Amino acid sequence: HAEQPHLPIPATAWAASHSVDWWLTTEDLPDPTNRVTLDEDGTIRLTWNPKNRESHQRLCHKWRELLKKFGFFGVFFQAMDISATAHQVGTCRFGEDPSESVLDPFCKAHDLENLYVVDASFMPSISAVNPSLTIIANALRVGSHIRRQIKSA
């Protein structure tokens, strides 16, 4: 009912007890205009332009065909907005060129000697999967690099 408040509660309760939820996701491709900014009054502003919509629509179309083939008579889709985002990536681009990136290939800030960023922000995209294991692997890689740097100093 929370998702469809204009429908009567008995109808949404029946639908909820006779349905299966699926979460279809496709990669949200990088967009350099996506931003997190802070207004002068401290308000956080999020600018997000969804990408890869055609691919997502093709996936939904194929999924609908399969479910109908398997006997699901009603297949409904509901798009999620930015509030459903759980794995933000790509907010700290990495690379060799400081004019094109914030971090070097070892996730060290170009302009600061003692700042390494090892969360998901260095990743340009995540192929519509949970990035946790990649984040862990990268943190271990960067930690080994830092250890080598300290030992050679």
Side-chain angles (χ1 to χ4, degrees), residues 2 22 30 34 51 61 72-74 79 81 85 89-91 93 96 118 121 127-128 134 137 150:
W22 303 91
N34 289 348
K51 297 287 185 179
H61 177 75
F72 288 84
F73 67 89
D81 63 13
T85 300
V89 301
T91 54
R93 183 180 294 182
E96 297 282 349
V118 293
S121 61
S127 303
T134 305
I150 291 170

Side-chain angles (χ1 to χ4, degrees), residues 77-99:
F77 292 96
Q78 179 175 334
M80 306 304 274
D81 63 13
I82 191 62
S83 66
T85 300
H87 302 296
Q88 288 291 66
V89 301
T91 54
C92 292
R93 183 180 294 182
F94 77 117
E96 297 282 349
D97 185 354
S99 69

Side-chain angles (χ1 to χ4, degrees), residues 79-129:
M80 306 304 274
D81 63 13
I82 191 62
S83 66
T85 300
H87 302 296
Q88 288 291 66
V89 301
T91 54
C92 292
R93 183 180 294 182
F94 77 117
E96 297 282 349
D97 185 354
S99 69
E100 296 285 325
S101 58
V102 176
L103 307 173
D104 73 10
F106 284 102
C107 296
K108 184 183 84 57
H110 286 297
D111 297 333
L112 298 168
E113 286 304 313
N114 63 349
L115 177 63
Y116 288 81
V117 179
V118 293
D119 64 359
S121 61
F122 85 98
M123 301 167 67
S125 66
I126 58 171
S127 303
V129 297

Side-chain angles (χ1 to χ4, degrees), residues 29-80:
L29 297 170
D31 183 337
T33 65
N34 289 348
R35 293 278 185 267
V36 177
T37 56
L38 193 61
D39 290 347
E40 288 184 19
D41 67 355
T43 302
I44 297 170
R45 298 278 176 212
L46 183 59
T47 303
W48 173 61
N49 299 300
K51 297 287 185 179
N52 209 24
R53 302 308 303 158
E54 181 188 342
S55 175
H56 186 74
Q57 292 306 316
R58 284 194 322 264
L59 175 64
C60 290
H61 177 75
K62 185 64 174 178
W63 191 240
R64 181 187 308 269
E65 286 178 353
L66 287 170
L67 290 177
K68 286 190 175 189
K69 180 179 175 181
F70 297 141
F72 288 84
F73 67 89
V75 179
F76 308 98
F77 292 96
Q78 179 175 334
M80 306 304 274

